[in-house]
Coordinates of all heavy atoms in Angstrom, one line a residue:
L892 N 325.5 39.7 12.9 CA 326.4 39.2 14.0 C 327.7 39.6 13.8 O 328.6 39.1 14.5 CB 326.3 37.7 13.8 CG 325.0 37.0 14.6 CD1 323.8 37.2 13.7 CD2 325.4 35.5 14.7
V893 N 328.0 40.6 13.0 CA 329.2 41.3 12.8 C 329.0 42.9 12.8 O 328.1 43.2 11.9 CB 330.2 40.8 11.5 CG1 330.6 39.5 11.8 CG2 329.3 41.0 10.4
D894 N 329.5 43.7 13.7 CA 329.2 45.1 13.8 C 327.6 45.2 13.8 O 326.8 44.2 13.9 CB 329.8 45.7 12.7 CG 331.3 45.7 12.7 OD1 331.8 45.4 13.7 OD2 331.9 45.9 11.8
T895 N 327.4 46.6 13.9 CA 325.9 46.8 14.0 C 325.9 48.4 13.7 O 326.6 49.1 14.3 CB 325.3 46.6 15.3 OG1 325.0 45.1 15.4 CG2 323.8 47.1 15.4
E896 N 325.1 48.8 13.0 CA 324.8 50.3 12.7 C 323.7 50.7 13.7 O 322.6 50.3 13.7 CB 324.4 50.6 11.3 CG 324.1 52.0 11.0 CD 323.5 52.1 9.7 OE1 322.3 51.8 9.4 OE2 324.1 52.9 8.8
R897 N 324.3 51.8 14.5 CA 323.3 52.5 15.4 C 323.0 53.9 14.7 O 324.1 54.6 14.6 CB 323.9 52.5 16.8 CG 324.0 51.2 17.4 CD 324.3 51.2 18.9 NE 324.4 50.0 19.6 CZ 323.3 49.1 19.9 NH1 322.1 49.6 19.7 NH2 323.5 47.9 20.4
T898 N 321.8 54.3 14.7 CA 321.6 55.7 14.2 C 320.4 56.2 14.9 O 319.7 55.5 15.6 CB 321.2 55.5 12.7 OG1 320.1 54.7 12.5 CG2 322.4 55.2 11.8
A899 N 320.2 57.5 14.7 CA 319.0 58.2 15.5 C 317.7 58.0 14.7 O 316.7 57.9 15.6 CB 319.4 59.6 15.5
W900 N 317.7 57.8 13.6 CA 316.5 57.5 12.8 C 316.8 56.7 11.5 O 318.0 56.3 11.4 CB 315.9 58.9 12.4 CG 314.4 58.8 12.2 CD1 313.8 59.1 11.0 CD2 313.4 58.6 13.0 NE1 312.4 59.0 11.1 CE2 312.1 58.9 12.4 CE3 313.4 58.3 14.3 CZ2 311.0 58.6 13.0 CZ3 312.2 58.2 15.0 CH2 311.0 58.3 14.3
H901 N 315.9 56.4 10.7 CA 316.0 55.6 9.6 C 315.2 56.0 8.4 O 314.1 56.6 8.7 CB 315.7 54.1 10.0 CG 316.2 53.0 9.1 ND1 315.6 52.6 8.0 CD2 317.4 52.3 9.0 CE1 316.3 51.7 7.4 NE2 317.4 51.5 7.9
V902 N 315.7 55.7 7.2 CA 314.7 55.9 6.1 C 313.5 55.3 6.3 O 312.4 55.9 5.9 CB 315.5 55.2 4.8 CG1 314.6 55.2 3.5 CG2 316.8 56.0 4.4
C903 N 313.5 54.1 6.8 CA 312.0 53.4 7.0 C 312.1 53.2 8.5 O 312.5 52.1 8.9 CB 312.2 52.1 6.3 SG 310.6 51.0 6.6
P904 N 311.6 54.1 9.3 CA 311.5 53.9 10.8 C 310.5 53.1 11.2 O 309.8 53.5 12.3 CB 311.5 55.5 11.2 CG 310.7 56.2 10.1 CD 311.0 55.4 8.7
C905 N 310.2 51.9 10.7 CA 309.0 51.1 11.2 C 309.5 50.3 12.4 O 308.6 50.0 13.1 CB 308.7 50.1 10.1 SG 310.3 49.1 9.6
C906 N 310.7 50.4 12.9 CA 311.2 49.6 14.1 C 311.0 50.6 15.3 O 311.1 50.1 16.6 CB 312.4 49.0 14.0 SG 312.7 47.9 12.5
V907 N 311.1 51.9 15.1 CA 311.4 52.7 16.2 C 310.5 52.6 17.3 O 310.8 52.7 18.5 CB 311.4 54.2 15.8 CG1 312.6 54.4 14.8 CG2 310.2 54.6 15.1
G908 N 309.1 52.5 17.2 CA 308.1 52.3 18.1 C 307.9 50.8 18.5 O 307.5 50.5 19.6
N909 N 308.2 49.9 17.6 CA 308.0 48.5 17.7 C 308.9 47.9 18.9 O 308.4 47.1 19.5 CB 308.2 47.8 16.3 CG 307.2 46.5 16.3 OD1 306.4 46.3 17.1 ND2 307.4 45.7 15.2
I910 N 310.0 48.4 18.9 CA 311.1 48.0 19.8 C 310.6 48.2 21.3 O 310.5 47.2 22.1 CB 312.4 48.6 19.7 CG1 313.0 48.1 18.2 CG2 313.5 48.1 20.8 CD1 314.1 48.9 17.8
P911 N 310.2 49.4 21.6 CA 309.9 49.7 23.1 C 308.5 49.1 23.4 O 308.3 48.6 24.6 CB 309.8 51.2 23.2 CG 309.7 51.7 21.7 CD 310.4 50.7 21.0
R912 N 307.6 49.1 22.5 CA 306.2 48.5 22.8 C 306.3 47.0 23.1 O 305.7 46.4 23.8 CB 305.2 48.8 21.6 CG 305.3 47.9 20.6 CD 304.0 48.1 19.5 NE 304.2 47.1 18.5 CZ 303.1 46.2 18.1 NH1 302.0 46.4 18.6 NH2 303.3 45.3 17.2
T913 N 307.2 46.3 22.4 CA 307.5 45.0 22.6 C 308.3 44.7 23.9 O 307.8 43.9 24.9 CB 308.3 44.3 21.4 OG1 307.5 44.5 20.2 CG2 308.5 42.8 21.7
L914 N 309.4 45.3 24.1 CA 310.2 45.0 25.3 C 309.5 45.4 26.6 O 309.8 44.9 27.6 CB 311.5 45.9 25.2 CG 312.5 45.4 24.2 CD1 313.7 46.4 24.1 CD2 313.0 44.1 24.6
L915 N 308.7 46.5 26.5 CA 308.2 47.0 27.9 C 306.9 46.1 28.2 O 306.3 46.3 29.5 CB 307.7 48.4 27.8 CG 309.0 49.3 27.7 CD1 308.5 50.8 27.6 CD2 309.8 49.2 29.1
M916 N 306.4 45.3 27.4 CA 305.2 44.3 27.8 C 305.6 43.3 28.7 O 305.3 42.1 28.4 CB 304.4 43.8 26.6 CG 303.5 45.0 26.0 SD 302.3 44.3 25.0 CE 303.1 43.6 23.5
V917 N 306.4 43.5 29.8 CA 306.8 42.5 30.7 C 305.9 41.6 31.2 O 306.1 40.4 31.2 CB 307.9 43.2 31.7 CG1 308.2 42.1 32.7 CG2 309.1 43.8 31.1
P918 N 304.8 42.0 31.7 CA 303.8 41.1 32.3 C 303.3 40.0 31.3 O 303.1 38.9 31.7 CB 302.8 42.1 32.8 CG 303.4 43.2 33.2 CD 304.4 43.4 32.0
T919 N 303.1 40.5 30.1 CA 302.6 39.6 29.2 C 303.6 38.4 28.8 O 303.2 37.4 28.6 CB 302.3 40.3 27.8 OG1 301.2 41.4 28.2 CG2 301.6 39.4 26.7
W920 N 304.8 38.8 28.6 CA 305.8 37.9 28.4 C 306.2 36.9 29.5 O 306.6 35.8 29.2 CB 307.1 38.5 27.7 CG 306.9 39.5 26.6 CD1 307.3 40.8 26.6 CD2 306.0 39.3 25.5 NE1 306.9 41.6 25.5 CE2 306.1 40.6 24.8 CE3 305.2 38.4 25.0 CZ2 305.3 40.8 23.5 CZ3 304.5 38.6 23.7 CH2 304.6 39.8 23.1
A921 N 306.2 37.6 30.7 CA 306.6 36.9 31.8 C 305.7 35.7 32.3 O 306.1 34.8 32.9 CB 306.9 37.9 33.0
Y922 N 304.3 35.9 32.1 CA 303.4 35.1 32.7 C 302.2 34.7 31.6 O 302.0 35.4 30.7 CB 302.7 35.7 33.9 CG 303.7 36.0 34.8 CD1 304.1 37.4 35.1 CD2 304.1 35.0 35.9 CE1 305.0 37.7 36.1 CE2 305.0 35.3 36.9 CZ 305.5 36.7 37.1 OH 306.2 37.0 38.0
A923 N 301.7 33.5 31.7 CA 300.5 33.1 31.1 C 299.7 32.4 32.2 O 300.3 32.0 33.2 CB 300.9 32.2 30.0
K924 N 298.5 32.0 32.0 CA 297.6 31.4 32.9 C 296.6 30.6 32.2 O 296.2 30.7 31.1 CB 297.1 32.5 33.9 CG 296.1 33.5 33.2 CD 295.5 34.5 34.1 CE 294.6 35.5 33.4 NZ 294.1 36.5 34.2
D925 N 296.0 29.8 33.2 CA 294.7 29.1 32.7 C 293.8 29.1 34.0 O 294.2 29.6 35.1 CB 294.9 27.7 32.1 CG 295.6 26.8 33.0 OD1 295.7 27.0 34.2 OD2 296.1 25.8 32.4
K926 N 292.7 28.4 34.0 CA 291.9 28.2 35.2 C 292.5 27.5 36.3 O 292.0 27.7 37.6 CB 290.5 27.6 34.8 CG 289.7 28.3 33.7 CD 288.5 27.4 33.3 CE 287.8 28.1 32.2 NZ 286.6 27.2 31.7
A927 N 293.6 26.8 36.0 CA 294.0 25.9 37.1 C 295.4 26.4 37.7 O 296.0 25.9 38.6 CB 294.2 24.5 36.7
G928 N 296.0 27.5 37.0 CA 297.3 27.8 37.4 C 297.9 29.0 36.6 O 297.3 29.5 35.7

Side-chain angles (χ1 to χ4, degrees):
L892 280 70
V893 290
D894 295 342
T895 289
E896 179 189 60
R897 295 192 180 278
T898 58
W900 205 242
H901 197 272
V902 168
C903 177
C905 57
C906 301
V907 295
N909 212 5
I910 296 167
R912 80 171 186 130
T913 302
L914 286 174
L915 291 176
M916 282 201 295
V917 170
T919 297
W920 313 130
Y922 299 99
K924 62 182 182 177
D925 59 17
K926 296 173 183 177

